[in-house]
Amino acid sequence: MTQTQLYERLKKEFARIVAENGLAEEPVAVRCRALTPEEAIGNTRRTDFPILEGKDVMIQAEYRGSRGQAFTDAPAAFSGTLAQVLALNILQDAHARGLFIACMNAVMAHLGRCTGTVHCRTQGPEQCAVDMHAWLDTEYPNARRVGLVGYQPALLEMLAGSGRQVRVLDLNPENVGAARFGVRVEDGARAREDLIQWADLILCTGSTLCNGTLVDYMELPVPVVFFGITLAGSAELLGLRRVCFADRYE
């Protein structure tokens, strides 16, 4: 699947859901804005999360009391109807893409089609690593070589201390080549194919949806589990396995 095919499919699937539920014709306002780091994840003990270092921005859409969030490097504010959301040019406009994903997450959450559309805060990101450790032990006990796609410090620290072999890929040049918790961060573009051949399991950030690199981790010969809030609604529509514990910490 190409990036164009991915976004076209998501737009088609979301349009179908909006039509089936009769949402396009009603005057529904969707407010979308960028969150400050404190609003996004609260006051965490550790300060090395990318959003706290200014590398990521989280936007939030609100729909009928439900919230949907997405990490993006192209934040934008928006207020309009779902019909206008569906008219956004998500194929070519990164700002529109982030808005579309956040709005879709909010609507899907309202309809009960997905959970975990709001990022965990304060101690949640640390607890997520603990819960992920237990989840991996239960779901993938024989996965001894785990690839982490997307530098998430709490998860990397957990994996590095879990007795598993771990490799981590990232696209941020400030991370590539650096040692984090005894693991060297590798170039996400150059090392991808080698990681796929090496790993028993890949944990991939759902933020790859916003830049289109999600397609690089779909339909692989190795199991891939996506994590995080950005992919919440899309994982449901695309049939991708996703894990997120954010709802536990609210």
Side-chain angles (χ1 to χ4, degrees), residues 190-207:
R190 295 182 178 180
R192 184 180 68 87
E193 290 296 336
D194 186 60
L195 181 80
I196 293 170
Q197 297 298 320
W198 173 85
D200 298 322
L201 171 70
I202 292 175
L203 292 178
C204 182
T205 174
S207 299

Side-chain angles (χ1 to χ4, degrees), residues 151 156 168-170 175-180 183-187:
Y151 174 61
L156 179 58
V168 57
L169 308 187
D170 201 74
N175 289 330
V176 174
R180 299 285 190 266
V183 181
R184 184 177 64 85
V185 181
E186 301 177 63
D187 187 303

Side-chain angles (χ1 to χ4, degrees), residues 92-106:
Q92 299 177 343
D93 187 339
H95 298 278
R97 194 177 307 139
L99 294 173
F100 177 88
I101 293 168
C103 292
M104 179 171 59
N105 284 343

Side-chain angles (χ1 to χ4, degrees), residues 23-194:
L23 305 181
E25 301 303 320
E26 59 182 23
V28 178
V30 180
R31 294 182 301 278
C32 193
R33 67 184 180 91
L35 301 183
T36 66
E38 183 174 350
E39 287 177 314
I41 65 173
N43 296 308
T44 58
R45 179 183 65 83
R46 64 192 311 151
T47 59
D48 54 353
F49 289 107
I51 192 172
L52 295 177
E53 298 178 340
K55 304 300 187 301
D56 291 328
V57 174
M58 183 185 291
I59 59 174
Q60 176 172 292
E62 300 176 13
Y63 172 76
R64 287 190 175 185
S66 294
R67 293 176 293 163
Q69 297 176 342
F71 279 110
T72 177
D73 60 359
F78 172 85
S79 181
T81 66
L82 288 177
Q84 290 174 309
V85 171
L86 287 169
L88 292 172
N89 182 7
I90 66 172
L91 298 180
Q92 299 177 343
D93 187 339
H95 298 278
R97 194 177 307 139
L99 294 173
F100 177 88
I101 293 168
C103 292
M104 179 171 59
N105 284 343
V107 173
M108 293 285 282
H110 172 74
L111 295 174
R113 295 288 301 270
C114 67
T115 60
T117 60
V118 177
H119 202 286
C120 50
R121 304 178 74 253
T122 313
Q123 299 306 314
E126 297 273 14
Q127 185 60 42
C128 173
V130 175
D131 289 339
M132 182 69 85
H133 193 316
W135 187 85
L136 289 173
D137 284 346
T138 299
E139 298 293 324
Y140 295 94
N142 298 320
R144 307 315 305 167
R145 295 183 296 185
V146 179
L148 179 64
V149 177
Y151 174 61
Q152 207 282 12
L155 290 183
L156 179 58
E157 184 177 26
M158 175 276 290
L159 290 169
S162 69
R164 299 176 174 87
Q165 297 180 58
V166 58
R167 291 172 62 180
V168 57
L169 308 187
D170 201 74
L171 293 176
N172 184 347
E174 294 184 17
N175 289 330
V176 174
R180 299 285 190 266
F181 311 106
V183 181
R184 184 177 64 85
V185 181
E186 301 177 63
D187 187 303
R190 295 182 178 180
R192 184 180 68 87
E193 290 296 336
D194 186 60

